[in-house]
Amino acid sequence: MLKDITIGQYLPGHSFLHSLDPRTKIIAVLIYMISLFVVNNFFGLGFMLLLSFVVVLTSQIPVKFFFRGIKAIIFIVSLTVILQMFMTPGEIMWQFGIFKITKEGIHQAIFMGTRLILLVSVTSILTLTTTPISLTDGIEHLLKPFQRFGVPAHELAMMMTIALRFIPTLIEETEKIMKAQAARGADFESGNLVQRAKAMIPLLVPLFLNAVKRADELAMAMEARCYHGGENRTRLKALQYTKRDYVAAVLCIGMVAGAFTSRFI
Amino acid sequence: MSLEVKHVTYIYQKGSPAENHALQDICLKIDEGEFLGIVGHTGSGKSTLIQHLNGLLKPSEGEILVDGVDINQKESRAKLKELRMQVGLVFQYPEYQLFEETVENDIAFGPRSLGLSEQEIKERVQHTMELLNLDYENFRNKSPFELSGGEKRKVAIAGVLAMQPKYLILDEPTAGLDPRGRQEFLELIAMLHRQGMTIVMVSHSMDDIARYAQKMIVMEHGQIKLSGTPQEVFSHPVELEQIGVGVPTLTKLLLRLKERGFHVRTDLFNVNEVKKEILTALSERKGDTTC
Ligand SMILES: Nc1ncnc2c1ncn2[C@@H]1O[C@H](COP(=O)(O)OP(=O)(O)O)[C@@H](O)[C@H]1O
Ligand SMILES: [Mg+2]
């Protein structure tokens, strides 16, 4: 059941998107996000929606993965939509006691809902088509210019890599410990809130202890191999922009231009 | 009274691209009082199989009967706790499940979740600890995390034994122990078996299985490849070699001697019996100088 978590999941493939440089993809996603908030009318929103369809099709990733991602945020989306609908002041369309729906509210609700869904879908395309390792590589490179302002780019990237690396391990271990305690009569599923919180102790204590122990061992192993941070470190696979990345850059410029133009329609 | 596995198939991550048929049409019957050994290569499905026996995993197909009752029926699922009291399962490296502040509380976790009285719990903890050669007064208030590896494992196993299960299932109970610790544990398991407990033990050591188990199964790719008494199973050394589990050291020795033309039986697993057999065979060949 814990295996259903799809955050940061990567699906191997050979699409155009898979072969792009991670830096290109990260920047493109950022530009897409900005464009999402630049557009302010239905032409613009339709344009962004269309773009996301094209990107999803290009990625060759089964559509069900996006639906799963959307299902995970359905609660947040509904909450946003409802709040926007009732809380935005403006021309009243429908009223019942203190509850009123305004024309502006509906407009806002549609916008925010769509934006959220598109945000999540496009971000998941990034993680679905990029291995965690190259993703952190890309982030490290993009943060490099900020190093002179004290941003520890390499360390941040290394921490992310390690964290991503250990998510599956921790999930696996959680399942194992849950089973082992269930074999001793532990019950994680029934009871009231307090009882359930208490039932987590036999799970959390061993989990944390093992995590700390593992972190210790990892640190030791890294030190034994003379790891000492990013200084003068070279890479086995250096990142390299290719022709595809320039194509993608041109398309991104087109996207921004489209988003701005749509404001004047 | 028995544990019965009927045509059980189990698929991990069913429906996803990573679908994995960990068990395929397994049939198995473990009678009360028996000692069953399970061997097989890593990844052959041993751990998956035993997790079915106390309802931790639900078969994708087939059924599990404990004392004749299908444990995955609706009414039985509601009584899972009682089932887990009857079928005690000790996982591999069980010391990673310790979590309480004191040894006594950790062992009491199982009995307590069964809702027994404090008096009864205390008696059970004390009894179990003594069974495992853990001095009650000395260990009860210690933190489980300050114990040695072998002691930790004892405490973890005590946590299951304190539920007084009828069937005890152990997943590689001696993995990672030193030779003396292994021996001590095996003797303990043998003693529990003599006292009437049904034992199912997963092991990588053919020597241990040959010595203690009454019946055994050999698994490969989620299927049972060979089954029967150790005598029967270990009379197929070629197949066992192919499956990658091999035969006990003593069997290997006897087989080699036989290859060299000695007249020895190859179905003995006891050091003394083997010694006698070899001496007899040697005296038969006295005067022969080929060796
Ligand atoms: N939690 C799990 N999720 C997915 N696959 C698993 C899981 N546990 C085991 N497997 C797979 O099932 C197969 C059998 O594993 P297991 O029963 O652990 O074998 P064994 O105990 O004999 O080493 C292996 O291929 C293993 O990779
Ligand atoms: Mg195993």
Side-chain angles (χ1 to χ4, degrees):
Chain A
M1 93 219 100
L2 285 161
K3 291 247 155 65
D4 294 337
I5 296 173
T6 54
I7 301 169
Q9 205 181 24
Y10 166 69
L11 275 192
H14 301 284
S15 72
F16 175 72
L17 290 175
H18 280 89
S19 64
L20 283 178
D21 188 284
R23 290 169 292 181
T24 314
K25 282 188 269 190
I26 295 168
I27 294 175
V29 168
L30 288 177
I31 294 179
Y32 184 87
M33 287 180 182
I34 295 167
S35 307
L36 256 185
F37 287 88
V38 165
V39 298
N40 63 349
N41 56 26
F42 284 113
F43 286 111
L45 200 64
F47 175 63
M48 297 312 287
L49 195 64
L50 190 73
L51 277 182
S52 75
F53 276 135
V54 172
V55 174
V56 167
L57 286 182
T58 329
S59 73
Q60 293 174 359
I61 284 173
V63 182
K64 72 169 191 235
F65 277 89
F66 298 99
F67 284 125
R68 220 188 280 168
I70 292 166
K71 227 164 86 187
I73 57 154
I74 201 75
F75 176 74
I76 299 173
V77 171
S78 332
L79 195 73
T80 315
V81 164
I82 290 169
L83 285 181
Q84 293 284 352
M85 212 142 68
F86 288 101
M87 304 303 244
T88 316
E91 186 184 327
I92 291 169
M93 307 250 312
W94 180 84
Q95 185 155 22
F96 182 81
I98 54 163
F99 297 106
K100 55 184 192 300
I101 295 180
T102 62
K103 199 171 165 193
E104 285 78 4
I106 292 180
H107 188 261
Q108 281 290 356
I110 294 176
F111 259 77
M112 287 316 285
T114 316
R115 275 176 180 153
L116 268 179
I117 290 175
L118 289 182
L119 258 177
V120 168
S121 307
V122 170
T123 320
S124 41
I125 292 179
L126 174 64
T127 58
L128 281 166
T129 62
T130 319
T131 61
I133 295 295
S134 60
L135 196 61
T136 45
D137 253 12
I139 292 174
E140 181 177 347
H141 272 266
L142 292 172
L143 284 178
K144 273 248 169 81
F146 299 99
Q147 240 167 0
R148 74 187 67 163
F149 307 117
V151 177
H154 173 77
E155 283 72 15
L156 281 176
M158 181 55 91
M159 271 156 64
M160 265 186 66
T161 312
I162 292 174
L164 285 172
R165 153 68 186 79
F166 278 102
I167 287 175
T169 312
L170 280 178
I171 291 177
E172 204 173 286
E173 190 150 306
T174 308
E175 268 184 359
K176 225 162 67 187
I177 298 174
M178 269 176 114
K179 276 188 192 162
Q181 305 295 26
R184 293 210 268 165
D187 186 354
F188 298 103
E189 269 132 43
S190 55
N192 61 32
L193 208 62
V194 180
Q195 282 167 333
R196 277 191 198 210
K198 250 181 146 171
M200 295 307 278
I201 296 174
L203 172 63
L204 293 180
V205 173
L207 197 62
F208 275 105
L209 277 173
N210 292 346
V212 170
K213 205 167 113 203
R214 190 168 291 124
D216 229 26
E217 284 168 2
L218 182 67
M220 190 99 76
M222 283 168 80
E223 219 153 286
R225 289 200 248 166
C226 301
Y227 173 79
H228 62 92
E231 202 91 334
N232 299 329
R233 200 177 160 84
T234 55
R235 311 203 151 264
L236 182 59
K237 280 189 193 159
L239 292 179
Q240 186 86 53
Y241 287 120
T242 61
K243 222 185 255 168
R244 295 158 184 259
D245 296 290
Y246 298 117
V247 173
V250 171
L251 292 176
C252 279
I253 295 172
M255 170 164 73
V256 178
F260 271 104
T261 324
S262 75
R263 292 174 72 98
F264 304 107
I265 298 179
Chain B
M1 299 288 115
S2 62
L3 290 175
E4 250 180 292
V5 178
K6 279 191 169 169
H7 299 286
V8 164
T9 293
Y10 188 78
I11 304 167
Y12 278 110
Q13 279 149 350
K14 200 172 181 175
S16 89
E19 208 174 74
N20 186 349
H21 292 248
L23 294 179
Q24 293 177 39
D25 198 25
I26 297 277
C27 287
L28 177 66
K29 187 158 181 271
I30 305 154
D31 286 314
E32 199 171 338
E34 215 167 62
F35 193 135
L36 176 81
I38 302 181
V39 302
H41 216 270
T42 307
S44 57
K46 307 181 296 290
S47 301
T48 307
L49 173 61
I50 58 172
Q51 285 172 42
H52 278 84
L53 300 178
N54 74 344
L56 282 172
L57 292 178
K58 230 171 144 175
S60 305
E61 273 164 51
E63 48 193 36
I64 308 283
L65 306 183
V66 174
D67 296 342
V69 181
D70 180 354
I71 62 168
N72 291 304
Q73 269 173 354
K74 247 197 181 138
E75 310 92 73
S76 321
R77 288 299 287 187
K79 287 186 276 182
L80 264 184
K81 233 185 218 181
E82 275 135 77
L83 168 73
R84 287 177 188 159
M85 182 169 92
Q86 294 225 329
V87 185
L89 176 57
V90 179
F91 274 79
Q92 207 174 353
Y93 299 109
E95 53 273 24
Y96 288 115
Q97 306 145 27
L98 301 173
F99 71 98
E100 277 283 6
E101 279 169 67
T102 66
V103 167
E104 179 164 32
N105 277 340
D106 210 291
I107 300 176
F109 178 73
R112 197 160 279 148
S113 72
L114 300 175
L116 301 176
S117 72
E118 282 303 311
Q119 179 60 30
E120 164 102 32
I121 291 173
K122 197 181 150 184
E123 275 168 21
R124 281 196 182 193
V125 172
Q126 194 166 357
H127 175 73
T128 314
M129 282 175 72
E130 256 135 45
L131 199 67
L132 288 163
N133 283 329
L134 288 169
D135 183 43
Y136 179 67
E137 289 306 326
N138 188 7
F139 277 98
R140 59 181 288 204
N141 286 323
K142 279 197 181 165
S143 157
F145 302 107
E146 67 186 45
L147 304 178
S148 75
E151 287 165 347
K152 272 188 196 165
R153 185 158 309 177
K154 276 189 185 176
V155 172
I157 293 185
V160 173
L161 284 178
M163 298 199 289
Q164 301 188 344
K166 197 156 90 179
Y167 304 94
L168 182 65
I169 300 160
L170 304 127
D171 198 349
E172 299 185 32
T174 56
L177 290 179
D178 57 51
R180 186 188 296 174
R182 291 175 70 98
Q183 206 47 47
E184 200 186 341
F185 260 105
L186 289 168
E187 287 305 329
L188 173 85
I189 295 164
M191 182 190 73
L192 291 168
H193 178 234
R194 278 196 300 275
Q195 290 176 356
M197 203 178 269
T198 311
I199 308 278
V200 176
M201 180 168 87
V202 175
S203 177
H204 276 297
S205 160
M206 298 307 125
D207 293 343
D208 296 347
I209 296 287
R211 177 119 186 254
Y212 294 102
Q214 297 167 324
K215 274 200 193 167
M216 64 183 290
I217 60 173
V218 183
M219 294 188 65
E220 192 188 28
H221 302 312
Q223 288 167 331
I224 296 180
K225 280 285 139 84
L226 291 169
S227 69
T229 62
Q231 271 87 355
E232 286 163 2
V233 171
F234 290 130
S235 65
H236 301 274
V238 182
E239 283 98 321
L240 288 169
E241 214 57 61
Q242 270 166 5
I243 294 170
V245 295
V247 293
T249 323
L250 290 173
T251 312
K252 224 179 269 173
L253 173 66
L254 292 171
L255 283 170
R256 288 267 171 81
L257 287 170
K258 198 169 181 180
E259 244 171 58
R260 299 252 179 124
F262 287 95
H263 293 285
V264 287
R265 283 172 60 186
T266 54
D267 58 350
L268 300 173
F269 304 118
N270 182 299
V271 180
N272 286 326
E273 283 172 17
V274 172
K275 185 172 125 196
K276 219 186 278 166
E277 183 75 10
I278 293 176
L279 286 176
T280 320
L282 279 177
S283 65
E284 268 175 28
R285 300 245 316 221
K286 267 248 165 85
D288 191 338
T289 48
T290 53
C291 205

